[in-house]
Amino acid sequence: MRALRILLIGLAVLAGLLVAADRLAEGRAESELADRVRFSQGWAGETEVDIRGFPFLTQVVDHRLERVDAHLKGVDTKSGGHPVRVTELDASFHDVRLRGDYEGGTATRADGTAFLSYADLTAASQEGVTVSYGGAPGKVKVTATIGVFGRTLSRSVVSTVTLVGGNVVRVRAEHVPGEGFPGLEELIRRKTDFDRTVDALPKGLSLASVTTDGAGVRAVLKGTDVELGAR
């Protein structure tokens, strides 16, 4: 009985050491992947990576991870020369086939969400333009300051936010009051109507839908054969 107890204790200690080694290896891999997550033409100010599935070491041997979750804040990119910041982005990469020593991989599929605050959307707009909630899902209020005949006018319009081509967020005013001034509507639309491309997404991942709420613009992400990290 004493020998059996010693054997059981030894096995318990060994199991604990294996679990600890597994957790340490997973932590290192998460750190490595966080350093290597690079969205094309974009840079994240803060990246957190969580590798799902247990045990981790067997996944490493197979060079295949069940799921990798990534949380990014402040993804900076550009759209037609305009800086665009994605405030937060959460993505889950499923069935990731690794390349090399955590240099990246390809996910069979991926899904997630992207969020642009009104402050970041305003910063991505033209000078003299502010963007806020339009009072209903899919709507924003766009206020623009323009100069007309030596006067400075401030006008607000309710605009519809739509998705074009999988990565373009389009803002278009439903109605612009012309107030009898020839060309005034066109001047206002030059500032209130705009497209912004979210091109900091990994290859294979695109926006599936977009809407708005009181905090900002939210998009659903979907993709297959999605690249994680840079080659």
Side-chain angles (χ1 to χ4, degrees), residues 82-87 116-133 140-144 171 191-192 194 196 215-217:
H82 292 277
V84 178
R85 167 168 285 198
V86 179
T87 312
L116 287 80
S117 69
Y118 290 121
D120 283 335
L121 192 56
T122 294
S125 305
Q126 297 186 53
E127 185 178 353
V129 172
T130 59
V131 184
S132 58
Y133 186 43
V140 293
K141 178 182 177 182
V142 184
T143 302
V171 178
K191 285 201 167 185
T192 61
F194 58 89
R196 290 295 178 264
V217 177

Side-chain angles (χ1 to χ4, degrees), residues 210-229:
V210 64
T211 189
T212 64
D213 58 25
V217 177
R218 300 184 186 275
V220 174
L221 308 174
K222 296 287 184 183
T224 56
D225 295 325
V226 179
E227 293 295 322
L228 175 63

